[in-house]
């Protein structure tokens, strides 16, 4: 009788255990450059459907996100729009160096409101003077910290236009904020990434900066040193896979390094 009661108790315990709801997977928290929003949102949905791991993403300028991580903000994966801000975290030992990969490339473009009556841009003082008019501003990121602004400054310096363009800049906190100024018609021109131009039907590309006029636009990714669980590492593995390529390429990015060969 005792054996029967013990067996019944064991069966009830197993049944109760099986009836418990499955523990929710720990989410992957991603800090990513604003220009990655559309592609990473789509990739995150596909990854979650496949793995069951939720992705929580925070988008801003790479400079702002890197500083937040430096100050202790909880992030599992960092994706920067330039090498400098990933290096900033690397020297502070705030990323796992073995996970770092240069995953994506982008192009720098000049955009105007979709309905603007502008011919294709020429990188000359006269063209920019006519396009901006007497009071217009060119929107881009803050030129001393935000990657898009740093690329724009480097390009204008290389092309001999910096002295003319510097006082005409509207410097935004991130590339999507600069894009919005052009899309809303508040700035007649902007310098953004090609992927951003693709994301907003309110703008059109009027020029692509010449190759060699600025440092290559490279996006490094890395798992942070304080990452919780495996979500960040697994999401990065997914982003490097063939399955994720379509999300990046649809937005105008080019996969490079290991990501290009998978």
């Amino acid at each position: 009788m005792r054996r029967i009661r013990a067996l019944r108790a064991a069966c009830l315990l197993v049944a109760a255990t099986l009836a418990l709801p499955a523990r929710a997977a720990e989410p992957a928290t991603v800090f990513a450059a604003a220009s990655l929003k559309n592609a990473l949102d789509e990739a995150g949905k596909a990854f979650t459907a496949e793995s069951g791991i939720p992705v929580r993403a925070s988008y801003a300028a790479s400079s702002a996100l890197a500083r937040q991580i430096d100050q202790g903000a909880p992030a599992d994966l960092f994706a920067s729009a330039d090498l400098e801000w990933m290096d900033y975290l690397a020297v502070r030992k705030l990323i796992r160096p073995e996970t770092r990969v240069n995953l994506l490339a982008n192009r720098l473009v000049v955009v105007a409101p979709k309905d603007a009556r502008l011919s294709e841009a020429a990188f000359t003082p006269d063209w920019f003077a006519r396009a901006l008019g007497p009071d217009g501003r060119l929107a881009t990121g803050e030129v001393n910290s935000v990657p898009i602004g740093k690329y724009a400054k480097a390009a204008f310096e290389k092309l001999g236009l910096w002295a003319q363009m510097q006082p005409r800049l509207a410097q935004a906190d991130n590339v999507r904020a600069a894009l919005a100024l052009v899309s809303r018609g508040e700035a007649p021109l902007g310098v953004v990434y090609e992927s951003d131009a693709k994301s907003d039907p309110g703008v059109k590309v009027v020029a692509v900066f010449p190759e060699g006029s600025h440092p290559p636009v490279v996006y490094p990714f890395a798992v942070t040193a304080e990452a919780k669980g495996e979500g960040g590492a697994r999401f990065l593995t997914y982003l490097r896979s063939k399955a994720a390529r379509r999300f990046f390429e649809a937005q105008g990015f080019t996969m490079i390094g290991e990501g290009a060969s998978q």
Side-chain angles (χ1 to χ4, degrees):
M1 184 64 70
R2 289 181 180 177
R3 290 182 179 177
I4 293 174
R5 285 199 295 267
L7 181 60
R8 287 176 177 172
C11 290
L12 289 171
L13 179 61
V14 170
T17 301
L18 293 175
L20 290 173
R23 183 180 178 182
E26 189 171 351
T29 300
V30 182
F31 279 21
S35 51
L36 288 165
K37 177 173 171 52
N38 296 66
L40 281 189
D41 280 351
E42 292 302 312
K45 291 175 186 176
F47 170 75
T48 299
E50 178 181 299
S51 67
I53 299 173
V55 176
R56 299 186 304 202
S58 178
Y59 300 105
S62 303
S63 51
L65 296 172
R67 288 170 177 147
Q68 289 173 26
I69 293 172
D70 188 22
Q71 293 167 8
D76 301 314
L77 180 65
F78 177 53
S80 175
D82 72 356
L83 299 174
E84 181 179 338
W85 287 108
M86 187 64 77
D87 292 342
Y88 174 90
L89 293 185
V91 299
R92 290 163 173 77
K93 302 187 185 304
L94 293 173
I95 62 167
R96 299 178 186 175
E98 71 278 7
T99 69
R100 179 173 175 171
V101 59
N102 293 339
L103 189 62
L104 304 171
N106 212 332
R107 295 201 298 175
L108 209 65
V109 299
V110 180
V111 292
K114 186 176 182 179
D115 58 357
R117 296 180 179 179
L118 287 177
S119 60
E120 184 175 343
F123 290 98
T124 64
D126 288 346
W127 188 90
F128 279 97
R130 289 195 303 271
L132 290 174
D135 302 313
R137 299 270 179 169
L138 182 142
T140 193
E142 202 282 320
V143 298
N144 292 317
S145 61
V146 178
I148 187 63
K150 290 159 57 184
Y151 289 124
K153 178 182 178 181
F156 284 131
E157 287 178 335
K158 183 74 171 181
L159 296 169
L161 295 168
W162 179 240
Q164 175 189 0
M165 300 308 300
Q166 182 180 16
R168 305 297 299 273
L169 297 181
Q171 300 183 44
D173 290 340
N174 61 69
V175 67
R176 288 299 173 94
L179 180 71
L181 290 175
V182 181
S183 182
R184 296 195 299 258
E186 296 174 23
L189 294 176
V191 174
V192 299
Y193 303 117
E194 184 175 34
S195 60
D196 296 293
K198 281 180 172 287
S199 76
D200 192 331
V203 304
K204 62 181 179 181
V205 175
V206 294
V208 177
F209 278 84
E211 186 175 351
S213 63
H214 56 84
V217 180
V218 175
Y219 290 71
F221 287 59
V223 176
T224 65
E226 300 298 323
K228 302 294 189 293
E230 299 181 355
R234 289 183 61 182
F235 188 39
L236 179 55
T237 297
Y238 176 80
L239 295 176
R240 295 170 64 177
S241 73
K242 184 177 180 181
R245 289 186 64 174
R246 57 195 172 109
F247 301 115
F248 294 122
E249 292 177 351
Q251 294 298 324
F253 294 96
T254 301
M255 293 194 79
I256 58 177
E258 295 183 36
S261 61
Q262 295 186 39

